[in-house]
Amino acid sequence: MAKIKRRGESGAAKNYITRTQALKKLQISLSDFRRLCILKGIYPREPTNKKKANKGSSAPASFYYSKDILYLLHEPLLQKFREHKTFAKKLARALGRGEWALAAGLEERKPLARLDHLVKERYPTFKQALQDLNDPLSLLCLFERLPRDPVPGKTQVPPEITAECGKLVAEWKVWAIRTHALRKVFLSIKGVYYECEVPAGRSGETVNVRWLEPWEFKQTVPADVDFRILLTFLDLYRTLTSFVLFKLYTDENLVYPPQLDVKLDEAGQGVGKFKLVERAPEVEAAPAETKDGKRITKKDVKKSIKSIAHAGTAEGMEVDEEVPEVKEEQDEEFVYHPSKNDEEAADPANAPPTPRLPDYTLFSPYTFYLSRETSSRTWEFVIRAFGGKVVTADSIATLDPTVASQITHILLDRPMEPAVMRKLQGDHKWTWVQPQWVADCANLRRLLPAGEGSGYEPGGTLPPHVSPWDGEGVNDRPWLGVEARAAATAEDEESGDEEMAVDGSEVLDTPAMRAAAENPADSTLVHQAELEAEASGVDHAAFKKHLAQLSKSRAEGPADTKKNKKPAAAAAAAAAAEEDQRKIMMTGKKQRLYEKMQYSNNERRQEADKLESKRQAIEKRKKKEGKK
């Protein structure tokens, strides 16, 4: 006889469970449930049929996989949450009664939940941990910049947490400086984007880790931010980052965490305040020789040797009377001292470049002076990661003459008169550049022109700074400027790289080029056309020649009516393409709303055109009747 299936015991009703049912099964509060789901990586699911999953009810509910909730029943953190709940009750009762000694004792024995097992569980391999390191580093940098002063009426993050986040970020940068792992830098409105190439194992496989670091401004924290959720993510990310850093430092044969120089820290140094120390090799101590459970000493060895000598003499054997001296075994443990002591431990930026990355020591021959208006945290990291040295001081005039003679570049982020620059420079051979020059050189891994006319001089018009992740080829890097791109192309041609010839007449037929030809005196239009030509791979000389020809033909007049219609059609196509780009950035709901608005506007426009045509027809008829 076939078994009768009952409603709610199979299918979606069994595979899914609501949040209310999950709370009853786990017997925890809603806040603890949210924290547990974040730490374990469990999130709500969307069943195909919500009514079946909710056992016939159409009430709104959040659903989870039943297997995920059953998996949480065996989580050790559940017991820690219950212990913390008990601790909170006892602490509140002690504070309410004024039992301060008891409250202090409870605070010292506060139960703490460790998340080490979660990191090993969620990231079985080191490569998986590196692939998920983008968000942890970004969140650590964000919390590092949070204000540490208490704000009345707002949730305040403890200063210990922000200090720990800053420490982890600094340790990550110190490792990147030592290994020259930094690859790309992008300056945006939100902050600075970095990308490091991290080795994922001994096989040579690497993982690109990209993160965002906010600018060094005081952060304005919105009042509606739920810091409980962010702090839960932060607890997991701090543990994950610590695991990754320990592995990276160990692979480089370095002690983790790196030593902090208190004097350099008090002097306001950035990542240079950390000193790297090589790990001591593990030496296995030889087991002590024993006899009958007693330790053999020097006297016992000498007695044994003398007895053997007397016995050999009695039997007619020749024995050397000189007894070799045996060193006493030291009672103290053998301590291995690193090859470099604290005084000789070099700054991470001054460490010798890693042989496996010789192409990423671009600034190794140079020393940079960072003026006070530049972001020292950003540019010190970038310069040191590419092998350079950094000097910071309150003013250029107060520099020590010996240090000033070693400086090769001055990073200045404000306009300065040439006479003042020459007076400060004196006999020194300094190159004055804006900070963007460092980022562009790092992205290209080539020194760009920095003299007058390059745009990088103080007060000059900087070339466009475009995201370095748009393309990897030279022609896909319009932020280099015309001269740099031409130089890079010439260098590639000399090295034997074959490049496809580009027909300038076809590539340069763009709306920006036609607009520049209409008004060649407008530098903005000409610059935009120049950028499009660079992106298309057109030579600068060909661009100038084509612009001159097009301007001359426009001044003489159009040849036929078809050519007159081309700019209007191209402008319409460009507007349509721009509208499509805007729609791509919208959500599905906003796209549908936008399409409805466009449809309504078209209907009104057509109705208005129809009424206008009727009005014109009536006026025309009235004029004819008036003439008669």
Side-chain angles (χ1 to χ4, degrees):
M1 184 176 179
K3 185 178 180 180
I4 300 175
K5 291 185 178 180
R6 295 185 180 181
R7 186 178 184 182
E9 293 184 354
S10 62
K14 186 178 181 181
N15 295 334
Y16 295 93
I17 186 174
T18 63
R19 188 176 65 183
T20 305
Q21 295 171 348
L23 294 177
K24 291 181 179 179
K25 184 176 286 292
L26 297 175
Q27 296 182 0
I28 56 177
S29 61
L30 179 59
S31 60
D32 289 343
F33 177 74
R34 286 175 176 171
R35 185 163 186 251
L36 190 61
C37 288
I38 291 174
L39 296 176
K40 297 288 290 184
I42 296 174
Y43 51 91
R45 306 287 180 166
E46 188 72 16
T48 307
N49 194 325
K50 290 186 177 181
K51 191 172 182 180
K52 288 184 179 179
N54 207 8
K55 299 180 181 180
S57 176
S58 58
S62 300
F63 297 92
Y64 295 85
Y65 280 143
S66 300
K67 289 185 177 180
D68 290 344
I69 303 304
L70 292 176
Y71 181 60
L72 291 179
L73 287 172
H74 307 283
E75 176 57 41
L77 287 178
L78 278 178
Q79 182 61 28
K80 290 294 182 181
F81 288 166
R82 296 187 179 105
E83 292 178 1
H84 189 274
K85 188 176 182 179
T86 304
F87 157 77
K89 287 182 178 179
K90 292 181 179 180
L91 183 62
R93 184 169 61 248
L95 293 176
R97 294 178 177 178
E99 299 174 349
W100 312 116
L102 179 59
L106 290 172
E107 185 67 27
E108 292 178 357
R109 299 189 302 273
K110 180 180 179 179
L112 299 176
R114 296 182 61 87
L115 307 180
D116 300 350
H117 67 286
L118 293 181
V119 175
K120 298 177 183 178
E121 176 186 302
R122 295 186 61 174
Y123 307 102
T125 63
F126 184 59
K127 181 180 178 180
Q128 291 177 344
L130 290 177
Q131 290 173 346
D132 203 19
L133 199 62
N134 301 342
D135 290 341
L137 286 177
S138 299
L139 192 63
L140 288 173
C141 293
L142 176 63
F143 269 81
E144 180 193 6
R145 300 308 304 162
L146 287 180
R148 302 187 183 184
D149 299 332
V151 181
K154 292 186 179 180
T155 305
Q156 178 66 20
V157 179
E160 296 81 8
I161 293 181
T162 55
E164 178 68 18
C165 293
K167 179 174 175 292
L168 291 174
V169 172
E171 291 171 355
W172 169 263
K173 289 184 176 180
V174 168
W175 173 85
I177 290 172
R178 172 61 181 257
T179 59
H180 304 290
L182 186 62
R183 294 294 177 267
K184 297 178 181 178
V185 184
F186 177 57
L187 313 176
S188 70
I189 298 176
K190 296 181 180 178
V192 185
Y193 286 89
Y194 303 103
E195 183 176 277
C196 284
E197 188 178 17
V198 186
R202 297 182 179 178
S203 60
E205 191 175 3
T206 59
V207 175
N208 292 331
V209 179
R210 186 184 308 169
W211 76 97
L212 171 65
E213 184 179 62
W215 292 108
E216 291 184 277
F217 300 121
K218 185 176 181 180
Q219 301 292 329
T220 303
V221 183
D224 56 347
V225 175
D226 192 350
F227 275 96
R228 292 176 298 176
I229 295 178
L230 290 178
L231 288 174
T232 302
F233 277 103
L234 187 64
D235 289 341
L236 178 64
Y237 288 165
R238 286 162 56 192
T239 308
L240 171 62
T241 308
S242 300
F243 268 75
V244 172
L245 287 175
F246 178 79
K247 168 68 175 172
L248 294 176
Y249 273 70
T250 304
D251 291 345
E252 291 294 326
N253 195 30
L254 299 174
V255 176
Y256 180 78
Q259 296 180 2
L260 177 65
D261 193 320
V262 180
K263 294 182 179 179
L264 295 179
D265 188 20
E266 293 176 352
Q269 287 287 341
V271 292
K273 62 187 177 184
F274 290 95
K275 290 187 176 181
L276 300 179
V277 180
E278 296 181 357
R279 291 171 56 88
E282 297 180 359
V283 179
E284 295 183 0
E289 298 180 0
T290 58
K291 181 180 180 181
D292 298 333
K294 296 182 179 180
R295 186 176 179 179
I296 300 177
T297 61
K298 176 183 176 181
K299 293 181 179 181
D300 296 333
V301 175
K302 286 185 176 181
K303 288 181 180 180
S304 300
I305 293 175
K306 286 181 179 180
S307 61
I308 295 173
H310 289 301
T313 304
E315 296 178 2
M317 296 176 58
E318 295 183 1
V319 180
D320 191 0
E321 296 182 356
E322 296 182 0
V323 180
E325 185 179 355
V326 180
K327 295 183 179 181
E328 293 185 1
E329 214 172 312
Q330 297 180 358
D331 295 334
E332 299 178 354
E333 294 183 358
F334 178 80
V335 180
Y336 177 86
H337 298 281
S339 58
K340 296 181 181 180
N341 54 23
D342 294 340
E343 296 181 357
E344 297 177 353
D347 194 321
N350 299 330
T354 309
R356 58 187 175 87
L357 296 174
D359 298 333
Y360 301 101
T361 57
L362 180 67
F363 301 136
S364 56
Y366 308 111
T367 301
F368 292 78
Y369 170 78
L370 305 182
S371 56
R372 58 186 178 184
E373 76 276 359
T374 58
S375 177
S376 59
R377 182 181 64 171
T378 300
W379 301 116
E380 180 185 3
F381 171 52
V382 177
I383 292 170
R384 289 176 181 269
F386 281 87
K389 301 177 181 63
V390 175
V391 175
T392 56
D394 295 336
S395 175
I396 303 177
T398 59
L399 284 173
D400 184 80
T402 306
V403 178
S405 61
Q406 299 175 356
I407 294 175
T408 58
H409 292 77
I410 303 291
L411 248 65
L412 194 67
D413 204 11
R414 66 180 186 273
M416 183 176 288
E417 294 295 333
V420 179
M421 293 169 57
R422 287 193 297 269
K423 182 179 179 181
L424 291 174
Q425 184 168 352
D427 299 333
H428 302 294
K429 296 182 180 180
W430 294 344
T431 302
W432 300 72
V433 292
Q434 297 190 51
Q436 184 182 322
W437 180 81
V438 176
D440 291 345
C441 292
N443 291 332
L444 183 62
R445 294 191 292 277
R446 182 184 294 127
L447 293 177
L448 299 176
E452 295 184 2
S454 63
Y456 292 110
E457 70 275 6
T461 303
L462 290 168
H465 182 66
V466 187
S467 172
W469 294 282
D470 290 342
E472 296 298 334
V474 175
N475 294 330
D476 296 327
R477 298 171 183 165
W479 68 88
L480 299 180
V482 180
E483 297 180 0
R485 199 205 64 78
T489 306
E491 184 175 342
D492 289 341
E493 289 177 354
E494 292 176 359
S495 62
D497 295 338
E498 297 181 0
E499 295 184 357
M500 298 179 62
V502 182
D503 188 359
S505 60
E506 296 178 0
V507 177
L508 294 178
D509 190 14
T510 60
M513 189 67 185
R514 288 189 290 271
E518 289 285 348
N519 190 4
D522 192 341
S523 60
T524 304
L525 296 177
V526 175
H527 185 62
Q528 180 63 30
E530 190 178 8
L531 290 179
E532 291 187 3
E534 291 174 17
S536 303
V538 179
D539 185 74
H540 182 60
F543 163 77
K544 287 291 187 182
K545 182 178 179 181
H546 187 77
L547 179 61
Q549 293 176 355
L550 197 58
S551 301
K552 184 177 179 181
S553 62
R554 292 301 173 103
E556 294 175 355
D560 54 328
T561 56
K562 290 184 178 179
K563 290 185 178 180
N564 290 335
K565 294 180 180 179
K566 282 185 178 180
E578 186 177 357
E579 183 179 359
D580 293 339
Q581 291 292 332
R582 286 199 299 265
K583 289 176 66 177
I584 290 174
M585 301 300 293
M586 299 179 185
T587 61
K589 184 177 180 181
K590 291 183 178 180
Q591 285 185 14
R592 290 190 293 270
L593 180 61
Y594 179 75
E595 291 173 357
K596 288 181 180 179
M597 292 170 58
Q598 292 291 98
Y599 179 79
S600 301
N601 293 338
N602 292 334
E603 289 290 328
R604 294 193 190 97
R605 195 178 300 110
Q606 292 177 6
E607 186 68 23
D609 293 342
K610 190 183 296 183
L611 293 175
E612 181 65 20
S613 60
K614 286 183 179 181
R615 186 184 64 80
Q616 292 177 359
I618 292 172
E619 289 180 354
K620 189 182 293 185
R621 188 174 65 250
K622 286 183 179 180
K623 287 181 180 180
K624 288 181 179 181
E625 291 177 356
K627 289 181 180 180
K628 293 179 180 179

